[in-house]
Amino acid sequence: MTPPVLPGLCARVRHRALPSRVSSLILLLQRSPLVKILMPEARVINSSGFAEAMKWTVTAVAGLGAFDSVSGATDVIQISPGTGNIVSGVAGNRLSSTFQFSGTTRLAASWTVSGALPSGLVNLNTAGLTTNSIVGIPAQTGDFPVTITGWENSGATGRNASGNFTFRITPPPAPAITSHPTGTATTAGSVVKLSVGHTNGQSFTWKRNGNPLPVAATSIVPLDHPRKWFVPTADPGAAWRTDPAFVDSTWTSASGGIGYDTNSTVDYRPLLASPGGSITANKGFANIRIPFTMTNPSPVSFLKLRYKCDDGFVAWLNGTEIGRVNAPANLLWNSSAASATVDVDVLNNWRELAIPSQHIPLLHQGTNLLAIQLLNSSSSSNDLLLTCELIGGIDAVNSPHLLLPSLGLAETGSYTVSVNNFSVPAGVPSNPAPVHILPAVATNPQEASINAGQSAQLSVSATGSSLTYQWYQGNAGDTSHPLNGATSADFTTPPLNTTTRFWVRVSNPGGSADSTAATVTVLVQPPSITTQPASTTVSYNQSTRLTVTPAGTA
């Protein structure tokens, strides 16, 4: 019986019949862990006195590779986050584990997992690679034994290789707050940044006046927001992406997507801004500046860049890099993208780049700058595209940073944050951080004139949050004569017979503002007699009383 030809055998082996004992040895070695040692050492065996049949056997086994499952051996190994058969993770923290065939470059058409993974983890089943990943945020603790198998066919059939692993998920240490958010009192429209320092925090719940902030998102930089682009011919330096005042008068203005497309099959042109959105074809890169002003009052605990891009980019916010997609590690002014994208995938799918939470405080009041270096895979590419918007808001997990982009009355109050993790779901609460709009007097109390014995009506108009009022008698700033019960914006004076001055102090926990003093003038009236003395008759040597009623001031 002539054994079948085995892949990897040299030509002389193909034309020679192998003894049945050798065939059996091939099968034995193929199923032996020793094959991993013997295969790389075929040349050593050649000089060690082994029989020619043994040389052929080892060479044949080496040619087979290690794709087939091997009794008593591990053909799938862990390459991250560690090595060995224990995959370590922390409940509530993201885990990304990668597994690879050992001793082969064969590709798997599918990957399966036998056994129960911790909830929160998913098998990515990365077909067409020598590696596979299991990722997610584990929501269980304990040991979870599984078998991970790579298959020759997508239906988990054919030859395979597998390995046994235990996902060991431990609970995190209890969270702790290392620095509490600090409150502030500032003017209306200001940007307020609140942060909590922590250890072991996995999620964060921000509250205002005891109520969780509602989950919402808004477009800080819309898709059609004005922007400018330029294709440099030499190193432009860094000022174009770091300096909001950079002179870009020679750059081309656009209001939307930027790029070009000469491909009639998958057409990006409907995404390009018009006029000005189309770059001349055959460009390998472009610089884009998108200045914007913070005017949206909605609180922000996350930022993300929503985009369609062909082929890659690097983005900066106010001069700090906030993320990159398909970009080389060593970025130059004329760098190309790391690889080409699939046009249909770009056209049909929006992508999101999550901006790390520590970059949220980069936003500030006034003009901000989003700068992007757009990368093409090649200057000969028939297309290039970037259309994007910057989105911010509140999500269910929040972050250790909270931004109030434009402080209004609705955003004032007492802010707290609880630092939560898997071990302490209820979280550790922070100290309150009061946020107020400083009081300011908009309309001062007006002067008044009254007759003696009358009262005057005075009022003040003020802006700010959580305002309180206290009226005083005397000159502005003199607090020696506070008026009991005069604690609202409106004030009625007591009856007056002399001219008197009054003022009010408007306060909140952040500060106070004093009005000017209003003079209440008691008018001077000329003397007059309202009741004349009445005539009367008396006996001789008797007395009588005569009465007159006068009028007038003093």
Side-chain angles (χ1 to χ4, degrees):
M1 172 181 174
T2 302
V5 176
L6 298 174
L9 289 177
C10 57
R12 63 193 177 102
V13 174
R14 289 197 184 102
H15 297 291
R16 298 186 62 173
L18 295 179
S20 59
R21 292 180 181 178
V22 174
S23 300
S24 299
L25 185 57
I26 290 176
L27 181 61
L28 175 63
L29 285 176
Q30 184 182 350
R31 297 184 178 277
S32 170
L34 289 175
V35 71
K36 293 182 176 62
I37 301 173
L38 293 175
M39 284 191 295
E41 302 302 331
R43 64 183 184 279
V44 177
I45 295 172
N46 184 47
S47 61
S48 64
F50 272 67
E52 284 296 313
M54 185 64 179
K55 290 191 295 182
W56 297 335
T57 301
V58 172
T59 306
V61 172
L64 286 175
F67 191 93
D68 290 336
S69 63
V70 183
S71 175
T74 299
D75 284 335
V76 173
I77 62 172
Q78 178 189 182
I79 60 175
S80 72
T83 58
N85 296 95
I86 302 298
V87 184
S88 299
V90 177
N93 282 354
R94 182 169 182 81
L95 173 62
S96 179
S97 53
T98 304
F99 304 88
Q100 177 178 288
F101 291 132
S102 66
T104 182
T105 58
R106 297 191 71 120
L107 308 180
S110 63
W111 294 82
T112 60
V113 176
S114 299
L117 287 169
S119 62
L121 296 185
V122 295
N123 173 29
L124 294 187
N125 190 18
T126 47
L129 297 177
T130 62
T131 61
N132 181 51
S133 295
I134 294 176
V135 301
I137 299 176
Q140 289 177 282
T141 59
D143 285 357
F144 300 83
V146 299
T147 299
I148 300 173
T149 305
W151 297 86
E152 181 182 35
N153 300 323
S154 59
T157 61
R159 293 177 296 178
N160 64 80
S162 63
N164 297 319
F165 304 93
T166 296
F167 280 77
R168 180 161 294 164
I169 310 301
T170 57
I177 292 177
T178 57
S179 62
H180 293 267
T182 302
T184 186
T186 184
T187 57
S190 296
V191 174
V192 175
K193 302 168 185 178
L194 301 175
S195 296
V196 63
H198 68 97
T199 56
N200 305 314
Q202 295 173 333
S203 64
F204 308 85
T205 304
W206 286 94
K207 296 181 179 181
R208 181 174 58 238
N209 300 328
N211 300 312
L213 297 179
V215 174
T218 187
S219 181
I220 298 173
V221 178
L223 288 169
D224 59 353
H225 189 81
R227 57 205 67 190
K228 287 189 172 184
W229 61 267
F230 180 73
V231 179
T233 56
D235 189 347
W240 70 271
R241 64 175 186 259
T242 60
D243 184 4
F246 175 81
V247 178
D248 55 11
S249 56
T250 60
W251 291 38
T252 303
S253 297
S255 295
I258 292 172
Y260 66 85
D261 198 341
T262 59
N263 181 358
S264 59
T265 304
V266 180
D267 193 356
Y268 293 154
R269 286 174 295 180
L271 297 174
L272 301 179
S274 180
S278 180
I279 299 174
T280 304
N282 299 327
K283 297 296 182 183
F285 47 86
N287 297 342
I288 302 170
R289 287 169 49 85
I290 312 176
F292 62 96
T293 303
M294 291 301 299
T295 58
N296 194 316
S298 300
V300 174
S301 73
F302 77 87
L303 287 174
K304 59 185 177 182
L305 197 64
R306 182 171 176 264
Y307 67 91
K308 291 185 178 183
C309 177
D310 183 332
D311 291 296
F313 66 86
V314 179
W316 295 264
L317 180 60
N318 291 326
T320 297
E321 183 180 326
I322 57 173
R324 56 178 59 198
V325 171
N326 198 24
N330 183 26
L331 183 72
L332 304 176
W333 69 273
N334 57 351
S335 287
S336 299
S339 60
T341 54
V342 178
D343 292 1
V344 173
D345 185 43
V346 172
L347 186 64
N348 293 336
N349 296 289
W350 287 98
R351 306 292 183 187
E352 291 183 349
L353 173 66
I355 297 172
S357 64
Q358 65 266 27
H359 295 327
I360 294 174
L362 291 172
L363 292 171
H364 55 71
Q365 185 178 12
T367 301
N368 294 260
L369 177 64
L370 175 62
I372 298 175
Q373 185 172 338
L374 175 58
L375 310 174
N376 208 344
S377 59
S378 168
S379 60
S380 61
S381 172
N382 60 11
D383 52 27
L384 178 66
L385 172 69
L386 178 71
T387 180
C388 67
E389 62 179 336
L390 183 64
I391 297 173
I394 300 294
D395 60 20
V397 177
N398 289 324
S399 83
H401 306 286
L402 181 69
L403 187 79
L404 309 179
S406 183
L407 186 62
L409 285 177
E411 287 71 53
T412 60
S414 178
Y415 284 82
T416 58
V417 60
S418 62
V419 181
N420 322 313
N421 69 13
F422 182 88
S423 297
V424 187
V428 177
S430 73
N431 296 336
V435 175
H436 292 287
I437 296 174
L438 285 169
V441 174
T443 304
N444 287 288
Q446 301 299 301
E447 297 187 348
S449 296
I450 60 172
N451 293 326
Q454 294 181 331
S455 297
Q457 301 293 324
L458 302 178
S459 64
V460 66
S461 173
T463 59
S465 59
S466 304
L467 298 179
T468 61
Y469 303 85
Q470 177 60 58
W471 289 85
Y472 297 87
Q473 179 179 319
N475 294 321
D478 178 5
T479 59
S480 60
H481 296 92
L483 298 170
N484 292 333
T487 55
S488 66
D490 300 314
F491 168 58
T492 300
T493 70
L496 301 175
N497 288 309
T498 58
T499 296
T500 309
R501 307 192 78 191
F502 299 94
W503 64 280
V504 62
R505 173 165 289 173
V506 184
S507 304
N508 69 10
S512 63
D514 294 347
S515 74
T516 58
T519 300
V520 178
T521 301
V522 178
L523 297 174
V524 176
Q525 297 174 330
S528 62
I529 296 175
T530 58
T531 304
Q532 297 289 338
S535 299
T536 186
T537 302
V538 298
S539 299
Y540 174 75
N541 206 31
Q542 290 183 334
S543 63
T544 189
R545 178 180 296 275
L546 299 177
T547 302
V548 65
T549 303
T553 302

